Amino acid sequence: MQIYSINGYDSGLKGTAFSLHAKNTKSIQAKNNVYQISFGHRNIHQIAEFTPECTGTGLPEMAQGGEGVVGFELGESLNKYEKVGGKPVDDRKFFPIWNHANPKGGHKFLIHKGIKTEDLPDTMPAKAFISGEIGQTKEDIARILKISPEYIDYVVQSKPNGNAPESLSKYNIIEPTGAKGIIEFPSSVTLGKMEQVPYQIMKVSEHNPSYVKFGKKEHNYFIYTPEWAKTAKPYSYDCWGNSSFDAEIVNSNGMRALAKTLAAQMDTDEFGYYKPASFVAHDRPATTFMVHLANMSANGNKEVNGMKAHKVEHNPSFDYQGRTYNPFQMISVVGNEKDIEALKKHPQYSVVAKAYYNGGLDSPALSDIEKQIAKTVIEPYVEPFRDYFGGYNITKVGIVGVKRNPKNFSLGSVSWHFDSEMKSMETPDAAKGLTGDYASVPTKPVANGVTIANLRFDERDAQFGRGDNGLSKPESTKGFTPFKYDGTNVEEVLKAKEKNARWLTKLMWKAGQKGQDSLNKLFFNKAQIESGQKVMGYLSPLKDGEIIIFGLGRPDTQKGFPISTGSALHFFKRTDIPQEMKLKVKFLFGAGKWGEGHPHYQAIERDWKEICELDGGIYKHNFAYIDGFTPNRLNACTHFGSYTSEYEMFGITPIEAKAAGSPSSVTATGGFLDYTKDGINGFTTKDVVMGKPEKYGLSYADSPEKLEKARIEHQIPQVSDNYKRMIELYTNDYEGYVEMCRKNLEEKVDWHNNSAYNNGKSANRRYLDAIFESDKGWKGRFKGKMHKLVGSWGEMKDNLESAVKNTKSRPARVVLGFALAMFAIGSGIYMYILNDEYKAKKADNINKVA
């Protein structure tokens, strides 16, 4: 009898008597303390999250976008504020391992001879980090280097701040655990072969640099596989989604390892008997978890039955989806050993092999009949994942999961409005190629929260951006005025912000007057400057009655910065606003670092140069652009926000502006509309950016560049109108401005307290109750066998054959038999099969004679 989990186990009770609980509860009472062992039970209060990014690590590579905030704050909030069944929520985070300069695929080690782990500084020189071979432990490294293992640690190493051996790296110390093993996946090199990949769960150590935000008693983990370990950042593709599809195979193997681990490997004393009933899959690398969980259940692994998995759609746009037109690559991602065994037994396997080794299903090495046979065998298996454009799409896995296992799997966006956009034919490019698929399944959106404490507006000496820059120097921060809203002191907050706006613009003016080098050093540290980060223009000192409109984000087409900068240019060109009014408005935008060949960077640069020359250069110091990492703490120095995403799933940046009491202008998309009400707490454009081409007098026959330009030009006057409304409100109705600021300051935006824009439930309770149904307990879970998400080899023909065999009606058998024959003849397969069978019989007769 296998023990699946132990509930309420006290490690001090080892060796004492206990009670066994099976389907029919039986117990053995002993004279000592009693604890329970449950069979097949998973812990309803425990949750596992997989997130590629997480700001809690303090590593820049894991804080590239809003997902890093979500990946940290959701679990932190659940653990701090929520209970399920009377027990505190136990949410644990899992990350893909990665390392700077680690091509061997082994572990990365930090050598710190003479310094105890707990005494290590926050950064270490690059020369202190070494790469191990696959399979090497720190004990192996200690023997090679002839030092004590206590001076060696497993680490995740961030990119150093330079190329010299003395250049400094941030890092996370991690520790090996007993959860490890081997997973198998269908080879992408040899048809019909299973390849093996080792894995191990590595725990984030309690002894870590000060920027690691996890609590000392928290449990968070990196998942090690050799291929993941070779990558230089949490995604095995770049932040725009570009990569070889091989990256999806690497990610899928990581999810295979995690599914195997969560099935039972952590249900031990080492992990505090962790056997979560629920799983949150953040973003594309986590998508295939559903495939592997369903495979395990369908193949008889009862330990995963009853588990719920929810896919969070952080960005389902076309460039982020992950697709291939090669079905064999998709098989490597979604297949398992039983699938490959079934394929090898297929009577037409030799034809499939011929296609595989000669370039694919349409290879010229195949006859027309062979091509049809190969397609008939292979395509039905991966057909569930085909998108509108005919590609096999990773992002469609969640959609298929909901269709096949609706009681166990769910998906949803991170805002209510974007959830509607990705299903609507009025916004067909929000999830291009998958719009109809999303519309075909129920979704469970959750509007994100934001933990405002991370902005540290109430700290004078907190770092700006990546730190080690002019803004963060003690001689600079002494001029910063900290503030905190207490529910009554809105005027005090606005006065502090006004002082900070003057502080910032004086620093910018002083640096700008000295030259470009000084201006760059104000915002960036040495490593950032060496990487090309810079400032374009600078602001003049703020005067009475003037305002700063601020917008920041990542360097991504999605964020629509040409709308922001183009609207600033449009605003300064307007003839319906007096010049003295326009001069009261200063714009500060930032996102970077862009590639300077990117069309959006080029548009931003053009707008800046034109503003500098407009009307004899009178607006030259009313506009600045930070081409590099832009600190969100600058919200403490500005009056309004401007966010012009072409599409936006949720949008954390406007909420950060809210926390500073800054009303924002936003484009009418996604989460922006969840929490921004025009004229009440902010300003919205009149319509979405990513409308149908017909809206702009175009069609999809026009180039994507032409369509995007039309969309941007359509939005610019609307955003410019909002800039006009901002300065008029501030100038002519300051009391109205104060009231709008108050509304933003008073909105409850934290994860456990944002029900006002989350349909009556906080984000935390949406996850716990609406998605995981934790309030129903483990008894409320469906614990039956899950259905596999893949199709069957030769499914169309197989289904017809099955129907012929199983029907009892003779007329129906005749009709179905005729359909089966027509399918074979119509596909050109009929004579091929007869010939194939003839050859087989002839060979069999020869063998008998021999």
Side-chain angles (χ1 to χ4, degrees):
M1 181 177 285
Q2 185 174 2
I3 297 174
Y4 288 98
S5 69
I6 305 176
N7 296 327
Y9 172 71
D10 183 340
S11 59
L13 302 180
K14 289 180 180 178
T16 61
F18 51 88
S19 337
L20 294 178
H21 288 257
K23 187 173 181 180
N24 298 318
T25 304
K26 296 180 181 180
S27 64
I28 303 173
Q29 189 71 32
K31 53 187 176 183
N32 293 321
N33 292 326
V34 174
Y35 60 89
Q36 299 178 349
I37 298 178
S38 300
F39 292 79
H41 186 280
R42 301 196 73 88
N43 300 319
I44 197 71
H45 70 290
Q46 291 179 340
I47 300 171
E49 286 188 73
F50 179 86
T51 175
E53 293 189 11
C54 178
T55 57
T57 64
L59 303 178
E61 291 88 344
M62 298 185 74
Q64 299 297 305
E67 183 191 307
V69 177
V70 176
F72 174 59
E73 292 182 355
L74 171 58
E76 295 291 300
S77 185
L78 288 170
N79 289 339
K80 183 176 181 180
Y81 294 105
E82 308 298 342
K83 289 187 176 182
V84 170
K87 295 181 179 180
V89 169
D90 179 5
D91 180 286
R92 306 188 189 185
K93 293 174 276 291
F94 295 81
F95 323 116
I97 203 159
W98 53 275
N99 263 301
H100 168 70
N102 192 41
K104 296 178 182 178
H107 284 292
K108 203 72 180 280
F109 299 95
L110 173 60
I111 313 301
H112 48 92
K113 188 175 180 180
I115 307 175
K116 293 182 178 180
T117 298
E118 55 268 30
D119 296 329
L120 285 168
D122 283 358
T123 56
M124 289 291 287
K127 65 183 181 182
F129 299 88
I130 65 171
S131 296
E133 302 285 348
I134 294 175
Q136 278 187 326
T137 66
K138 78 172 185 177
E139 287 74 20
D140 296 330
I141 300 297
R143 282 191 292 271
I144 294 169
L145 298 180
K146 298 181 180 179
I147 62 174
S148 171
E150 68 178 311
Y151 297 124
I152 303 175
D153 280 300
Y154 297 87
V155 292
V156 173
Q157 181 198 0
S158 187
K159 183 179 179 179
N161 63 0
N163 298 320
E166 299 295 335
S167 299
L168 299 175
S169 276
K170 289 186 173 183
Y171 59 93
N172 277 189
I173 297 174
I174 56 178
E175 301 167 356
T177 74
K180 57 185 178 180
I182 300 289
I183 57 98
E184 292 189 313
F185 74 101
S187 172
S188 59
V189 178
T190 306
L191 183 67
K193 180 183 176 183
M194 297 296 291
E195 294 185 20
Q196 294 188 333
V197 174
Y199 70 89
Q200 185 169 22
I201 304 300
M202 307 293 289
K203 181 182 176 182
V204 178
S205 174
E206 291 184 11
H207 303 294
N208 251 308
S210 61
Y211 46 76
V212 178
K213 301 173 186 175
F214 303 128
K216 290 292 184 184
K217 299 300 179 183
E218 286 189 49
H219 305 284
N220 299 295
Y221 310 92
F222 283 89
I223 308 168
Y224 168 83
T225 70
E227 292 304 315
W228 257 347
K230 294 176 183 178
T231 59
K233 52 191 173 183
Y235 293 96
S236 42
Y237 48 85
D238 69 30
C239 65
W240 295 280
N242 303 312
S243 74
S244 160
F245 195 79
D246 289 344
E248 312 304 342
I249 300 174
V250 174
N251 292 333
S252 182
N253 286 337
M255 290 300 96
R256 283 186 171 93
L258 184 54
K260 187 174 180 180
T261 297
L262 294 179
Q265 284 188 314
M266 299 181 80
D267 188 25
T268 66
D269 184 52
E270 177 186 1
F271 297 99
Y273 297 97
Y274 181 67
K275 197 173 186 183
S278 305
F279 181 83
V280 181
H282 290 286
D283 216 0
R284 179 167 134 198
T287 299
T288 55
F289 184 87
M290 287 185 180
V291 169
H292 307 313
L293 200 69
N295 279 344
M296 292 169 72
S297 177
N299 291 340
N301 188 334
K302 295 181 179 180
E303 294 183 27
V304 300
N305 289 353
M307 196 170 185
K308 280 183 176 285
H310 179 76
K311 168 71 187 307
V312 181
E313 300 292 18
H314 285 276
N315 193 339
S317 66
F318 184 83
D319 290 340
Y320 285 81
Q321 290 169 12
R323 66 176 56 74
T324 180
Y325 294 91
N326 180 346
F328 295 108
Q329 282 190 312
M330 196 68 182
I331 290 168
S332 291
V333 170
V334 300
N336 67 6
E337 187 173 14
K338 289 195 174 183
D339 296 332
I340 298 306
E341 288 175 358
L343 173 62
K344 290 164 71 174
K345 292 177 181 177
H346 196 279
Q348 305 305 326
Y349 178 71
S350 61
V351 180
V352 173
K354 185 176 179 181
Y356 182 86
Y357 290 113
N358 285 279
L361 302 182
D362 289 308
S363 168
L366 275 66
S367 67
D368 290 343
I369 294 175
E370 288 174 325
K371 289 176 185 178
Q372 293 178 51
I373 291 172
K375 289 178 181 179
T376 302
V377 175
I378 293 296
E379 288 184 343
Y381 177 81
V382 288
E383 181 63 28
F385 312 110
R386 196 187 288 271
D387 62 20
Y388 176 83
F389 297 102
Y392 303 105
N393 197 316
I394 289 294
T395 302
K396 196 170 175 183
V397 167
I399 297 166
V400 177
V402 173
K403 287 182 176 180
R404 297 282 174 90
N405 297 295
K407 295 180 180 178
N408 296 94
F409 298 154
S410 58
L411 62 81
S413 178
V414 289
S415 80
W416 294 82
H417 277 88
F418 190 79
D419 208 71
S420 298
E421 283 178 54
M422 70 184 191
K423 296 178 174 183
S424 172
M425 291 311 299
E426 295 301 310
T427 50
D429 289 347
K432 191 173 182 178
L434 295 177
T435 306
D437 291 301
Y438 279 118
S440 70
V441 296
T443 51
K444 297 182 178 182
V446 181
N448 279 336
V450 177
T451 303
I452 301 308
N454 291 339
L455 295 171
R456 303 167 74 181
F457 294 143
D458 57 344
E459 298 180 30
R460 188 182 301 278
D461 58 354
Q463 297 277 290
F464 281 83
R466 300 294 190 208
D468 296 326
N469 51 38
L471 289 175
S472 303
K473 289 181 177 179
E475 59 266 32
S476 295
T477 57
K478 68 182 180 182
F480 178 83
T481 304
F483 62 86
K484 186 175 183 178
Y485 183 61
D486 64 8
T488 62
N489 64 338
V490 63
E491 294 281 4
E492 180 184 323
V493 169
L494 296 183
K495 285 179 181 178
K497 290 181 63 185
E498 180 72 15
K499 290 180 181 178
N500 290 336
R502 293 171 185 262
W503 165 80
L504 174 64
T505 52
K506 284 179 181 178
L507 287 173
M508 290 185 74
W509 180 257
K510 183 178 178 180
Q513 290 291 292
K514 288 182 179 179
Q516 187 66 47
D517 185 56
S518 293
L519 194 57
N520 292 343
K521 288 180 179 177
L522 183 64
F523 287 93
F524 305 120
N525 58 40
K526 182 181 178 182
Q528 290 174 299
I529 294 171
E530 287 178 352
S531 70
Q533 299 187 43
K534 63 184 183 300
V535 183
M536 296 159 56
Y538 56 98
L539 303 180
S540 57
L542 194 79
K543 299 175 185 176
D544 290 345
E546 295 182 350
I547 63 171
I548 300 176
I549 299 174
F550 175 54
L552 78 158
R554 67 178 184 270
D556 191 319
T557 302
Q558 173 202 340
K559 297 302 180 181
F561 275 96
I563 300 175
S564 292
T565 60
S567 299
L569 174 60
H570 183 278
F571 174 81
F572 288 131
K573 284 183 171 181
R574 293 179 74 133
T575 57
D576 61 336
I577 307 174
Q579 188 179 78
E580 60 269 23
M581 183 73 85
K582 290 188 283 187
L583 283 168
K584 291 182 178 181
V585 181
K586 297 182 187 296
F587 294 96
L588 179 62
F589 298 117
K593 168 115 184 48
W594 287 96
E596 297 196 2
H598 195 287
H600 279 216
Y601 173 82
Q602 293 172 345
I604 293 164
E605 189 175 39
R606 284 195 303 271
D607 292 336
W608 168 56
K609 288 180 178 178
E610 189 169 350
I611 288 171
C612 288
E613 296 171 359
L614 186 66
D615 293 346
I618 194 171
Y619 306 113
K620 181 177 181 179
H621 297 302
N622 285 63
F623 181 95
Y625 185 84
I626 304 169
D627 183 29
F629 187 83
T630 305
N632 57 8
R633 288 193 79 229
L634 291 177
N635 280 296
C637 312
T638 56
H639 301 80
F640 291 94
S642 176
Y643 299 95
T644 54
S645 297
E646 295 188 7
Y647 58 95
E648 186 61 67
M649 284 57 66
F650 180 67
I652 289 174
T653 42
I655 289 196
E656 292 174 338
K658 280 181 181 294
S662 296
S664 292
S665 166
V666 297
T667 41
T669 178
F672 289 170
L673 297 181
D674 282 9
Y675 50 75
T676 306
K677 307 303 176 187
D678 188 69
I680 298 173
N681 65 352
F683 312 87
T684 67
T685 57
K686 294 180 176 61
D687 49 20
V688 296
V689 187
M690 304 282 280
K692 295 187 294 186
E694 293 79 7
K695 184 181 181 71
Y696 316 102
L698 301 174
S699 73
Y700 280 115
D702 292 292
S703 70
E705 293 78 15
K706 187 175 182 179
L707 176 57
E708 185 189 35
K709 182 181 179 182
R711 287 167 167 168
I712 289 173
E713 290 178 348
H714 182 77
Q715 285 290 310
I716 281 175
Q718 298 182 45
V719 176
S720 176
D721 283 344
N722 286 344
Y723 294 162
K724 179 174 181 285
R725 293 168 69 192
M726 286 174 173
I727 188 58
E728 289 177 344
L729 176 68
Y730 190 85
T731 303
N732 303 327
D733 184 13
Y734 187 76
E735 288 185 2
Y737 169 72
V738 173
E739 183 58 28
M740 191 175 280
C741 293
R742 186 197 307 276
K743 289 183 183 297
N744 281 282
L745 285 165
E746 291 183 349
E747 284 189 25
K748 305 300 183 184
V749 297
D750 211 333
W751 293 87
H752 70 289
N753 203 5
N754 63 351
S755 56
Y757 60 81
N758 221 343
N759 277 24
K761 278 198 173 190
S762 71
N764 285 359
R765 294 318 307 188
R766 283 282 303 167
Y767 275 103
L768 294 176
D769 301 337
I771 292 174
F772 294 133
E773 300 179 328
S774 301
D775 51 336
K776 296 180 181 179
W778 178 247
K779 290 183 179 179
R781 288 287 178 91
F782 170 74
K783 306 179 191 67
K785 184 181 289 189
M786 299 181 204
H787 300 288
K788 296 179 70 171
L789 307 194
V790 297
S792 299
W793 308 115
E795 188 174 59
M796 191 180 298
K797 176 174 172 289
D798 292 344
N799 287 345
L800 285 172
E801 287 179 336
S802 176
V804 171
K805 291 177 181 177
N806 295 328
T807 185
K808 295 180 180 178
S809 165
R810 187 174 182 281
R813 285 175 61 85
V814 171
V815 171
L816 289 169
F818 178 76
L820 178 61
M822 288 302 99
F823 167 76
I825 294 170
S827 64
I829 296 172
Y830 183 66
M831 293 305 297
Y832 187 95
I833 291 175
L834 288 180
N835 186 50
D836 202 38
E837 289 175 350
Y838 172 75
K839 289 179 180 177
K841 288 179 180 178
K842 185 176 180 181
D844 187 51
N845 290 334
I846 291 172
N847 289 333
K848 286 179 180 178
V849 172

